[in-house]
Amino acid sequence: MKRLNSLISCTALLLVYLVVKLLESRGILLPYHVQILSLCCINIILVVSLNLINGFTGQFSIGHAGFFAIGAYASAYLTVHLQLPFVLAIICGGILAGLAGLAVGLPALRLRGDYLAIATLGFGEIIRVIILNTDAVGGARGFSGIPKYTTFGLAYLTAIITVVVIRNFVTSDFGRACLAVREDEIAAESLGVNSTYFKVLAFAIGAFFAGAAGALFSHYLQYMAPTPSQIGFVKSIDILIMVVLGGLGSITGSIFAAVFLTIIPELLRGFAEYRMIIYPILLIVVMIYRPAGLLSGQEFSLSNLAKHFKGAKAHGNHS
Amino acid sequence: MPWHIAALQQLINGLALGSVYALIALGYTMVYGIIKLINFAHGDIYMLGAYFGFYAITMLKLSLVPAMLVSMAAAALVGVLLERIAYRPLRSSSRIAVLITAIGASLLFQSTAQLVFGASFKPFPQALPFRRIQLGPVFITNRQLLIFGVAVLLMVLLHLIVNYTKVGKAMRAVAIDKEAALLMGVNIDRIISATFALGSALAAAAGILVGMYYNRIDPYMGMMPGLKAFVAAVLGGIGIVPGAVVGGLLMGVAENLVVTIGSSTLRDAVAFAVLIVVLLFRPNGLLGKKGIEKV
Amino acid sequence: MATTAELMVSNLSVQFGGLKAVDQVCFSLKPKTLGGLIGPNGAGKTTVFNALTGMCPVTSGQIRFKDKQLTNEPPHVIARYGVARTFQNIRLFRNLSVLDNLRIAYHQNRKYSLLCGIFHSPRYKREEAQITAKAEEMLDLVGLADKGEHLAGSLPYGEQRRVEIARALMLSPRLLLLDEPAAGMNPQETQTLLELIRRVRDELEITVLLIEHDMKLVMNLCEELFVLDYGHLIATGDPKSIQRNQRVVEAYLGGNGA
C-alpha cells in the first residue's frame, strides 16, 4: 500500500513537470507563467522550511528572510566572482545559512515566545544591514549581473527535495522530539529529549533550506536589493503569513498557501493596493476564528480524504 | 569639529531622539505589563498620530497644541478600537496567535494609510519657525527643546496618572495580578482600554514631534521607530514604566554615537544588536528584577 | 543497607528565595521497592520529585542513583540514566495521538541516525516498527490497547493518567516516579491503578516511588513510606509503623486542621 502510494506520488510529480514543459513548448504557458511557477516552488521551500521551525518545533521565528538573504547573496557571489557551478553554489548558500541558523539558534533558544520572535526579527535586520554595508555584494546599490541559472525544473526539484526531507524528518524520531518540544518542553525533557538540541537542529535545517531558496531566488531575479521587502522583515512577514494561513504544522497546508498566495497577487496585479489590505484582515480573521491556521497540524492526502469519507459513511450508517 | 564636541552634539541629538523613543516605549511597556502582548501595531499608531496632527494643522487650521491634543485623542480611540476588535477576542488564545494578529494589524494600518494618505511622504507643516540656540561649542534647536519639553511634560503627567489616580492604581494592580485585581472589583476590560488609550496618545504625540523634527511623514515611518522603541522598552525592563524612559534615552544616544563613529547605515543595526545582547545577558532589562520560573 | 540502596538522597535542600521548600532530607530506596512519599499539602513532596528529575535547582545535598550523580543534572540527562516520572497536573502532549506520546518517549533508545530518518531508510523502517510494537505493548499493559489513535487530550482524566504511566515506561526506566497517580480517580479506578502499579513493579522489575494523598492506596501498595512535613523528613518506615507514628499523626492533624 505504502509503496503504491509513493509510486502514485512520483508519477503525479513527474506528470506535473511534463505537463508544464509540454504547455511551455506549445506556447500555451508563456515564459512569464513559467517564471511564476518557479517562484511558487521557491516560496514552497521558504514556507515549508519556516513551518519546521514555527509550526513543528513551536519556536516562533520572524527572521527567515535573514537566512534567505545569506543564501541569495552568498551563492550569487560564488557564481559571479568564483564561477562556481550553480548546484554547488546552492548547497554552499544553504550550508552558510544553516550555520547562521546554528549561530542564531544557540543564543536565541534561551528566549521564549514573543521575545524569541523579536530577537529573530532583529537578527534578520542585522543581516540586512551587514549586506547593506558590504561592498563585495554591491552594498546599498544592490547586487546586479547575477546569471539566470534558475530554471523551473531545478526549482521544482529542489522544492520536492525540501518537502520530502522535511516530511521524513518530522515523521522520524527527530521530528517527534521537535513536536514534543513544541507541545510541552518540560514533559519533553522529562522523557530524555534535549530540547535545546532540537530547537537548534530545527533552526539549522530550516535555515539551510531557506538559504537554498535564496540561491534559487537570486539566480531567478538576477538582481538582489537590500530592501526590507526583498530580504528584510517585510519578506519574513510575507513568509510567515503563508505559514500561518496554511496552518502551523501542516506541510500540505504550507504548499497550498505558498502556491495560492504567489499566484493570486499576479492575477490581481491591478489591485495591488487592496491586496495589502485584504491579507492582514485575512490574517486577523484566521487568528480569531482558527488560530492554528486553516489546515492546522493536519495533512491533506488521498488516503486521509478516503478515511474521512469512510468515517462519514460509517457515521451515517450508525445514526 | 574636534571629536569630543561632535560627540557632545550627538549626545544632544541623541537625547532628543531618545525622548521620542521613550514616549513610544511607554506605550509598549504599559500594554505588555498588563496583557503580556507585544503590540506590534503600536509603531503604526505613532504614524497615524503624525498624520492626524498633519490634518489637524492643515485642514482644521489648528495651532500646534490643540492639534496635538486632537491627534492624541484620535490615536487613543484607534488604540482602544484595535484592542476591542483584534486583541480582545484572542485574550485566551496562545500568545503566538495574538502576536500574529498584532503583526496583521500593523500591516493593515500601513496599507490603509498608504491608500488613504498616499504612499509618498508629506512635508510636515512647520508650526514653529526653525531656530538654533548656541550653547558654548554646541547648539540645540528649538524643535529639540520642544521635544524635550513635551516629552517631560507627558512623562510627568503619566507618572501622576499611574501613581495617584484610581485608574492608574488599577492598572498597576492588573499588571501584578489579574485574578486578584478582578476579585477586588477592578473592571479589567476598562483598565486594558485605558492602557491602550494612554499608550496610543503618547505615541501620537511622539509622531507629531518627529514629524516636525524631520519635517516629513510617510505611511511606513512607524516601523523602525516602533521596533526600536520596543527594544528600548526591553532594554529598560519591559513592563516597568521608568525603564521605558531610561531605555529610550539610552537607545537614542547609542544610535547617534554610532552615527558619529561609523556609517549612518549601521544605525538600524544598533538597536537590534542591543536587543540581542540585553536579552542574552539581562533578559529582565536594566531596571528589571529576576523572577522565578515556575515548573 | 546503604550498599544495596538504589536511590540515595542525602541532605537534600531546595530553597526558593527565602523559603526552604525541602530541608536536609535524607532517604534511600532499595531496588524494586514500592516507596511512598506522603505528607500534608505544601510539605515539599513535588519539590523532591522536581529535584530528583533536575527540574528545580538543588541548593545543597546529593542525589545518587545507582552509580550516577543526579544532583543538578539537566532533566533529559537524568531521564537517560533511567529515571522516569509523571506529573501531578498531567503533562501529556494533548494535541498528539496516544501512540505518538508513547513513541516520543522511546527517543533515548532510538538507534538510527539523522540521515536514516531523513531518507526513511530500511533501518528507520525496521526500528519504527519496533517502536510502535513496544508502544502498543505498553498501552496494552495499562489497559488502553484500543486507544492508540485517539488524541491524548481527548481521553478521560483517569485514562490520561494511565497513558502518562505508559509513556514513562517507554523509557525503560529503572526508577519510576509517580506524582499523585490516583488524583481524580474513583475508588474502582484507584483499585485498577493499584494493581497496575504492582504489576509494573513485578513484571518490569523496577523501583517505584509515588506521591499520593489517598491513604488507602498508599497503605495497601507501598512497602516503605517517607513522611514530609514543612520540608522536613519526619518519619520513615513500613505502613504499619507509620500509621502508629505519633509525629505523623500530629503533622496530619495539625497541618491540615482536619
Side-chain angles (χ1 to χ4, degrees), chain A residues 60 107 110-112 114-115 117-118 121-122 125-126 129 133 233 237 241 244 273 276-277 280-281 284 287, chain B residues 32 38 90 95-97 99-101 103-104 108 111 115 223-224 230 238 263 265-266 269 272 275 279-280:
Chain A
F60 201 72
R110 295 171 48 178
L111 310 170
R112 265 152 229 253
D114 26 17
Y115 276 88
I118 297 291
L121 189 145
E125 283 307 292
I126 290 174
V129 173
N133 284 287
F233 61 91
I237 288 174
I241 290 176
V244 171
E273 287 160 330
M276 282 320 289
I277 292 186
I281 293 179
I284 296 173
M287 277 302 108
Chain B
Y32 193 92
I38 299 175
L90 284 160
R95 282 165 70 175
I96 294 310
L99 188 66
I100 293 171
T101 309
I103 293 174
L108 184 62
S111 35
L115 205 66
M223 251 185 317
M224 267 297 154
F230 171 75
I238 196 147
S263 93
T265 45
L266 283 176
F272 298 110
L275 175 76
L279 288 181
L280 290 180

Side-chain angles (χ1 to χ4, degrees), chain A:
Chain A
M1 181 65 191
K2 239 181 179 160
R3 188 148 295 178
L4 184 70
N5 262 346
S6 49
L7 198 69
I8 294 174
S9 311
C10 284
T11 322
L13 288 171
L14 195 66
L15 220 59
V16 168
Y17 177 72
L18 291 176
V19 167
V20 169
K21 279 285 156 198
L22 184 75
L23 293 178
E24 192 188 4
S25 68
R26 288 286 165 86
I28 300 171
L29 279 180
L30 303 173
Y32 163 72
H33 297 131
V34 181
Q35 289 272 354
I36 292 172
L37 290 179
S38 305
L39 194 59
C40 284
C41 295
I42 294 173
N43 283 339
I44 288 174
I45 302 172
L46 283 172
V47 178
V48 172
S49 61
L50 182 61
N51 208 343
L52 173 65
I53 303 174
N54 282 12
F56 288 99
T57 318
Q59 301 305 301
F60 201 72
S61 163
I62 38 179
H64 216 51
F67 304 126
F68 172 78
I70 292 175
Y73 276 85
S75 65
Y77 186 84
L78 292 174
T79 54
V80 172
H81 295 288
L82 305 177
Q83 279 80 40
L84 220 63
F86 184 40
V87 174
L88 221 56
I90 295 178
I91 293 171
C92 287
I95 289 174
L96 278 175
L99 289 175
L102 279 181
V104 186
L106 275 173
L109 297 163
R110 295 171 48 178
L111 310 170
R112 265 152 229 253
D114 26 17
Y115 276 88
L116 176 66
I118 297 291
T120 51
L121 189 145
F123 152 80
E125 283 307 292
I126 290 174
I127 297 281
R128 190 174 74 82
V129 173
I130 291 175
I131 288 172
L132 202 62
N133 284 287
T134 307
D135 281 331
V137 292
R141 283 171 287 112
F143 197 148
S144 50
I146 306 169
K148 187 163 183 71
Y149 286 151
T150 301
T151 58
F152 170 71
L154 196 58
Y156 186 65
L157 184 67
T158 316
I160 292 173
I161 292 173
T162 308
V163 170
V164 169
V165 166
I166 290 183
R167 191 208 60 182
N168 284 358
F169 177 81
V170 295
T171 51
S172 76
D173 176 74
F174 298 89
R176 282 197 299 263
C178 290
L179 288 175
V181 170
R182 175 191 79 188
E183 290 287 310
D184 185 335
E185 219 174 305
I186 291 171
E189 282 272 336
S190 84
L191 300 173
V193 174
N194 181 347
S195 53
T196 310
Y197 176 85
F198 285 95
K199 287 182 203 173
V200 175
L201 186 64
F203 255 96
I205 295 177
F208 173 84
F209 286 110
L216 289 170
F217 186 78
S218 60
H219 292 82
Y220 151 89
L221 204 65
Q222 296 177 274
Y223 170 69
M224 291 300 295
T227 58
S229 61
Q230 201 169 93
I231 61 167
F233 61 91
V234 176
K235 178 80 179 175
S236 291
I237 288 174
D238 270 351
I239 308 169
L240 179 71
I241 290 176
M242 295 185 190
V243 170
V244 171
L245 291 184
L248 292 167
S250 167
I251 293 178
T252 32
S254 285
I255 298 171
F256 285 137
V259 172
F260 189 71
L261 293 181
T262 312
I263 291 179
I264 288 292
E266 296 296 335
L267 294 180
L268 302 176
R269 269 204 173 270
F271 307 93
E273 287 160 330
Y274 296 98
R275 175 173 77 99
M276 282 320 289
I277 292 186
I278 294 167
Y279 271 23
I281 293 179
L282 206 61
L283 201 61
I284 296 173
V285 170
V286 167
M287 277 302 108
I288 292 176
Y289 294 104
R290 235 188 122 79
L294 295 176
L295 267 177
S296 54
Q298 295 163 27
E299 295 298 348
F300 176 84
S301 72
L302 289 178
S303 53
N304 277 356
L305 204 64
K307 234 190 255 171
H308 186 79
F309 278 118
K310 265 188 212 151
K313 233 180 175 176
H315 198 74
N317 289 346
H318 265 285
S319 57

Side-chain angles (χ1 to χ4, degrees), chain B residues 18-19 21-23 25-26 155 232 236 240-251:
Chain B
S19 315
Y21 288 156
L23 283 179
L26 283 168
M155 284 171 199
I240 304 166
V241 172
V245 178
V246 173
L249 293 177
L250 279 178
M251 197 71 165

